[in-house]
Amino acid sequence: MATELPKKQAVIVGVGWAGGIIAAELAKAGIEVLGLERGADRTPADFIMQKDEMKYALDHDLMQDLSKETVSFRNDNDMTALPMRQTGSFVLGTDLGGAGIHWNGQAPRFFPYDFEIRSQTIEKYGEEKIEEGITLQDWGITYDELEPYYTQWEKTAGISGEQNDMTPWMSEDYPTPPMKETPAIRLFKDAASELGLHPHQRPSANLSENYTNPDGKTIYQCQFCSFCERFGCDYQAKSDPLITVIPTAVDTGNFEIKTHANVREVAHEDGKAVGVYYIDGNDGQQYFQPADMVILTTYVLNNTRLMLQSGIGRPYDPETEEGVVGKHYCYQIMSGAQGMFEDKQFNLYAGAGALGGGVEDYNADNFDHSDLDFIHGGVLSLNQTGIRPIETNPVPPDTKSWGSEFKKASTHYFYRTLSIGCQGASMPYRYNYLDLDPTYTDENGDPLLRMTYNFTDQDRKLAAHQAERSEEIMKQMGADIVRQTNQATGDYNIVPYQTTHNTGGTIMGASSETSVVNNYSQVWDCENLFVVGASTFSHNSGNNPTPTVGALAYRAAEGMLEYFDNPGILVDDED
């Protein structure tokens, strides 16, 4: 029997970037907000002098304990899904601040094309351009409508960057200048320019200078220590929720955080959420937290799982294509090129998570797809994130992976190897989806989330094209050994790390028939329930998702405040 607690105006489930933004905006407006975080409390002090590659990068200290909760996976419906027993293709964050603590800080916007992808593709190329089984949808919002919220997030995070002719239009410049240009990045940008492309310095949440945001929170200048991805920043120079939006919310006196609170279900009656059930990890007891509004801002996979577990919305069925919850699970299609230089060395030990040069000429619909057999694209970038000694062992093809030959080659090429990577867009496919596993459960006896996912021909063609373009730039850079890298040549494999850019499952749209939430992230079927995060993306773009999550969170907070004043569905349903 659950113990019932005093009612709150709003309860937020999961306190990372999205949850922190919404907590800050609601609390500043005088709303009483409770944040439930299933992980531990984290403060910036926890990361002081924690330059420990083994602990954080390899043993995943900041990540979810998969022995207690994981996902099951299969490539298609004819396979039996099995649990992911150790961290592989993606890493699942935990603790206060969520994935916003261990991210690299890469902060590009999505393109206008992304938000109207179906209508713009058909208008320009015809419906036959869309591969059979690719279930494209517009998002129910345009870039122009979302642009002010991008600007708001960038000011909160202090993003360092620059615009050029191939990046999405911006109403204001980035709040801080672009990061430094290293010799390796300069070589990449010069080669790209010589090929007629338009390189630029990538937007970064590793700041180029000290910055105080509009809420009075200071982010410091990056020290190029190379410990960004999978690490918390001890310099407080990587913008994250712990040093920006969470303390802003706490300072109002209207925001309370409960850690070790694992939410299992959203309770609902007559089309409205009435609260959440959670287990307190401190005493093992179950509690019921009543609330006037429930806001799910957990990671992509758990947002979908909680909706399914709570019986809210219609689960997606790939055979009939009916239902919406679990629909449009997408990933990101990784390819590129590696180059090794005999006569050039680079100081690659120094770096930062988002220090890099990018080329957007082959992203979105920035290039003509008329004679190509795929749509969209992805950013090509050379990032100098800093090479750490345990995981960095570049050797030429056909080199033995052990012994004296390996050691000699690894030592020689350690500072002589550069990589161009592509983050390719991922299009929704009819049979790529999320549902509840019928066999496997977590430590509380609740069903695991089951992931059914494989690469499509669209993915493989996109990846091959981008690998070829990357190879062209690498050869122009003068590398002596050049090889393409492409992780989408066969079936998707959940074992090797690729990216933690999972999206979809509670998608956004203009119709309750085809989407879970409207463009304020409000659930069509449960008006005082909001689901915010990359789970609402109807596909994944060729750029990093965090800025779009931030922009959608600011828009959602605006809608929540409107709802408190005037309850009801905030957007007309096209149905």
Side-chain angles (χ1 to χ4, degrees):
M1 189 72 177
T3 300
E4 185 166 336
L5 302 170
K7 192 175 186 180
K8 299 289 185 180
Q9 286 182 282
V11 60
I12 293 174
V13 182
V15 189
W17 265 122
I21 287 168
I22 291 166
E25 295 307 295
L26 296 188
K28 286 190 290 187
I31 302 296
E32 181 187 38
V33 185
L34 172 66
L36 298 177
E37 169 58 53
R38 69 179 178 182
D41 190 7
R42 290 281 188 179
T43 69
D46 292 335
F47 307 119
I48 292 176
M49 299 308 292
Q50 292 295 304
K51 307 288 193 264
D52 189 333
E53 182 182 3
M54 181 63 75
K55 179 178 181 180
Y56 291 103
L58 301 179
D59 291 342
H60 306 112
D61 186 73
L62 294 178
M63 310 308 170
Q64 185 173 307
D65 184 347
L66 300 186
S67 70
K68 297 179 179 179
E69 181 189 322
T70 184
V71 298
S72 65
F73 166 75
R74 59 184 182 173
N75 284 124
D76 58 56
N77 287 353
D78 294 330
M79 297 174 66
T80 298
L82 296 175
M84 183 172 72
R85 297 294 188 183
Q86 60 185 22
T87 296
S89 180
F90 45 84
V91 293
L92 300 173
T94 189
D95 297 339
L96 190 65
I101 302 305
H102 61 78
W103 74 314
N104 257 331
Q106 296 185 23
R109 299 180 176 195
F110 282 9
F111 284 83
Y113 173 70
D114 284 304
F115 301 99
E116 301 173 277
I117 187 168
R118 178 176 174 80
S119 57
Q120 288 193 21
T121 298
I122 291 173
E123 180 181 353
K124 186 171 181 180
Y125 302 108
E127 193 163 0
E128 64 276 7
K129 187 69 175 178
I130 302 171
E131 182 181 303
E132 184 178 355
I134 301 298
T135 53
L136 283 188
Q137 291 181 197
D138 292 351
W139 288 36
I141 192 171
T142 67
Y143 177 85
D144 289 2
E145 290 173 309
L146 195 58
E147 198 280 336
Y149 305 101
Y150 272 121
T151 300
Q152 189 174 5
W153 181 78
E154 287 158 359
K155 287 181 176 180
T156 295
I159 301 302
S160 300
E162 63 181 0
Q163 303 179 60
N164 79 358
D165 292 341
M166 288 293 168
T167 56
W169 74 267
M170 298 172 63
S171 58
E172 299 183 34
D173 289 336
Y174 289 106
T176 53
M179 296 191 76
K180 293 181 182 297
E181 185 180 78
T182 68
I185 295 170
R186 179 73 265 163
L187 183 64
F188 165 78
K189 291 166 77 172
D190 285 346
S193 295
E194 290 161 7
L195 292 172
L197 305 174
H198 303 81
H200 71 294
Q201 202 72 5
R202 294 277 282 163
S204 169
N206 323 118
L207 268 58
S208 61
E209 62 186 25
N210 291 352
Y211 172 78
T212 299
N213 74 13
D215 292 317
K217 306 306 175 190
T218 298
I219 307 111
Y220 296 104
Q221 183 178 15
C222 178
Q223 302 297 303
F224 301 99
C225 75
S226 301
F227 288 81
C228 287
E229 184 179 15
R230 306 189 185 187
F231 300 84
C233 183
D234 55 349
Y235 295 123
Q236 299 180 43
K238 177 176 69 175
S239 191
D240 68 43
L242 290 184
I243 61 173
T244 56
V245 290
I246 292 175
T248 295
V250 171
D251 288 349
T252 66
N254 294 321
F255 181 49
E256 176 190 357
I257 302 169
K258 283 187 180 180
T259 54
H260 304 289
N262 192 355
V263 174
R264 302 175 67 189
E265 181 184 345
V266 178
H268 54 102
E269 297 174 2
D270 301 322
K272 288 190 177 183
V274 294
V276 298
Y277 288 95
Y278 72 90
I279 291 180
D280 190 322
N282 295 306
D283 60 18
Q285 300 301 307
Q286 180 158 269
Y287 294 87
F288 175 62
Q289 177 60 65
D292 294 322
M293 179 183 289
V294 176
I295 304 152
L296 302 185
T297 52
T298 70
Y299 190 66
V300 171
L301 304 179
N302 212 44
N303 272 354
T304 303
R305 185 184 185 215
L306 281 171
M307 290 286 289
L308 292 167
Q309 215 161 270
S310 304
I312 300 174
R314 294 162 292 125
Y316 173 67
D317 182 343
E319 298 302 330
T320 64
E321 295 190 82
E322 295 177 349
V324 286
V325 182
K327 181 180 177 181
H328 282 198
Y329 172 72
C330 293
Y331 195 41
Q332 210 153 39
I333 313 305
M334 311 301 287
S335 62
Q338 183 186 70
M340 294 179 166
F341 298 78
E342 296 297 339
D343 299 324
K344 289 187 177 74
Q345 293 189 53
F346 306 93
N347 177 18
L348 301 176
Y349 185 75
L355 176 63
V359 167
E360 303 280 11
D361 298 65
Y362 301 114
N363 205 347
D365 200 40
N366 285 350
F367 59 114
D368 188 7
H369 290 72
S370 298
D371 296 326
L372 299 172
D373 49 6
F374 65 91
I375 60 172
H376 215 302
V379 63
L380 306 182
S381 61
L382 189 145
N383 297 309
Q384 189 165 328
T385 60
I387 51 176
R388 298 185 292 270
I390 299 176
E391 285 192 300
T392 307
N393 290 287
V395 294
D398 302 323
T399 304
K400 291 181 180 179
S401 60
W402 55 276
S404 59
E405 179 185 347
F406 170 79
K407 292 177 183 177
K408 182 178 179 180
S410 178
T411 301
H412 179 71
Y413 289 106
F414 189 78
Y415 291 114
R416 302 170 187 265
T417 302
L418 300 178
S419 294
I420 297 170
C422 172
Q423 294 185 136
S426 178
M427 299 297 103
Y429 176 61
R430 176 178 177 178
Y431 292 104
N432 288 341
Y433 68 103
L434 304 171
D435 67 352
L436 294 179
D437 194 288
T439 304
Y440 293 99
T441 60
D442 66 10
E443 64 172 346
N444 296 317
D446 295 324
L448 296 185
L449 188 72
R450 180 171 63 178
M451 176 186 294
T452 304
Y453 177 76
N454 207 352
F455 294 132
T456 64
D457 287 341
Q458 151 75 28
D459 298 329
R460 297 184 184 100
K461 293 167 184 174
L462 185 155
H465 177 273
Q466 300 298 80
E468 290 170 4
R469 304 292 80 74
S470 300
E471 182 183 23
E472 290 170 356
I473 299 173
M474 187 61 76
K475 287 181 176 178
Q476 187 70 22
M477 291 167 62
D480 297 284
I481 301 172
V482 179
R483 59 176 171 175
Q484 293 184 16
T485 57
N486 187 340
Q487 292 182 296
T489 55
D491 291 331
Y492 168 71
N493 184 348
I494 202 169
V495 175
Y497 183 77
Q498 289 159 70
T499 180
T500 308
H501 297 165
N502 317 72
T503 67
T506 66
I507 62 173
M508 177 177 292
S511 161
S512 61
E513 189 65 28
T514 58
S515 60
V516 177
V517 302
N518 61 32
N519 61 34
Y520 281 103
S521 302
Q522 181 187 31
V523 176
W524 291 111
D525 294 336
C526 192
E527 67 177 42
N528 64 336
L529 174 63
F530 290 76
V531 182
V532 186
S535 64
T536 67
F537 294 7
S538 190
H539 70 278
N540 201 2
S541 180
N543 261 323
N544 306 63
T546 302
T548 303
V549 170
L552 290 173
Y554 274 111
R555 179 172 173 83
E558 185 178 283
M560 292 169 198
L561 291 173
E562 183 177 332
Y563 182 89
F564 275 114
D565 288 338
N566 187 21
I569 292 294
L570 300 168
V571 178
D572 289 337
D573 187 345
E574 285 191 356
D575 282 345

